[in-house]
Amino acid sequence: MNIDVKKILNEKPIYSGKAKSIYKIDEDKVLIEFRDDITAGDGAKKDIKKGKGYLNALISSKLFEVLNKDNIPTHYIEYIDPVYMVAKNVEIVLIEVIVRNIAAGSLCRKYPFKEGQELKRPIVQFDYKSDEYGDPMLNEDIAIALDLATEEELKRLKELALKVNESLKKFFDERGIILVDFKIEFGRTKDGELVVADEISPDTMRLWDKETKDILDKDIFRKDLGDVVGKYEIVAKRIGCI
Ligand code: TMP
Ligand code: ASP
């Protein structure tokens, strides 16, 4: 595809989030720019980590390609060197879909799970994507009452999220990495199809080294454990991006 990135970047982004900016290419497509900004705790903690945008663009693109190969619909079209991804222009569903294989993070803060405990079966959790309300957890009735999705769509979101989990868990496992948990977002295409959207990167997943259990994701930044970009680089190398 012939996309004039420079020209597109001359226009204002149609959306700018904490770590990505979205530019319109045309009615059907957007250009996603992965920036070096890193935040935690809803932006309470902020920094810029050189090279993070590049690694997340590469890793996200690779993981969307893995999903597409496994026949899971996504918004992904192509990667553009160094920090860009071309994607379908979709309407983002305001539900953060979290899938957990191993207990960590807020699950252990809110419920009596032990950090590192393997879960009997994956947990799928829906959070309301709203900085204003602090991303509270949803149940089906609240999600429907808020018009975030229909009952059928909620079923489909769960089904697709579990498929994404199976696909990525296997992919990472074969590369010496445990997929502890992750957050994905979905979009509605013009035809009303639900597709995996946004990003899938170490900013939005927990990844542990299978042998050493070393943390290879944004928890390094959240918990001040050292060189976060160095860990993302390990992930990118293991999955064959660099
Ligand atoms: P949690 O344990 O903090 O609820 O996080 C679950 C997963 O979701 C973890 O892989 C990190 C990811 N996540 C995001 O991508 N964005 C967020 O705003 C939060 C809180 C978590
Ligand atoms: N995504 C949130 C933020 O960037 C929280 C987090 O990932 O810890 O502030």
Side-chain angles (χ1 to χ4, degrees), residues 32-44:
I32 302 177
E33 176 189 19
F34 289 77
R35 307 195 314 265
D36 286 339
D37 302 80
I38 188 162
T39 71
D42 256 344

Side-chain angles (χ1 to χ4, degrees), residues 57-92:
L58 276 177
I59 295 168
S60 256
S61 299
K62 176 76 186 191
L63 296 179
F64 277 121
E65 281 164 19
V66 169
L67 297 184
N68 283 348
K69 266 202 199 107
D70 279 345
N71 293 316
I72 297 168
T74 78
H75 72 156
Y76 175 77
I77 298 176
E78 66 171 338
Y79 166 73
I80 299 185
D81 189 51
V83 295
Y84 307 104
M85 196 168 92
V86 180
K88 283 181 197 158
N89 186 10
V90 294
E91 176 203 3
I92 292 290

Side-chain angles (χ1 to χ4, degrees), residues 18 42 96 98-100 104-107 109 125 127 135 181-183 203-206 218 222:
K18 292 191 278 270
D42 256 344
E96 300 196 341
I98 295 165
V99 183
R100 303 176 187 270
S106 69
L107 192 71
R109 286 198 300 276
Q125 178 189 330
D127 285 359
D135 299 348
D181 59 30
F182 61 88
K183 182 268 295 179
D203 272 9
T204 59
M205 292 184 279
R206 286 197 174 91
K218 198 165 101 172
R222 293 190 190 98

Side-chain angles (χ1 to χ4, degrees), residues 7-16 21-25 31 33:
K7 191 175 152 214
I8 290 161
L9 295 177
N10 269 336
E11 303 294 322
K12 274 214 178 88
I14 52 171
Y15 177 81
S16 198
S21 301
I22 317 289
Y23 296 84
K24 184 174 170 177
I25 296 174
L31 183 76
E33 176 189 19

Side-chain angles (χ1 to χ4, degrees), residues 93-95 126-129 136-157 188:
V93 176
L94 295 180
I95 299 176
F126 292 154
D127 285 359
Y128 179 31
K129 181 177 159 67
M137 201 191 289
L138 294 165
N139 73 14
E140 218 181 271
D141 286 339
I142 298 175
I144 293 167
L146 283 172
D147 256 339
L148 302 179
T150 64
E151 194 169 345
E152 294 69 39
E153 282 181 326
L154 292 175
K155 265 203 200 100
R156 181 71 177 149
L157 291 181
R188 290 184 191 91

Side-chain angles (χ1 to χ4, degrees), residues 149-172:
T150 64
E151 194 169 345
E152 294 69 39
E153 282 181 326
L154 292 175
K155 265 203 200 100
R156 181 71 177 149
L157 291 181
K158 181 166 178 180
E159 177 190 53
L160 283 172
L162 286 170
K163 278 191 182 163
V164 169
N165 186 44
E166 284 314 308
S167 170
L168 296 185
K169 201 167 70 173
K170 178 165 178 282
F171 177 78
F172 279 117

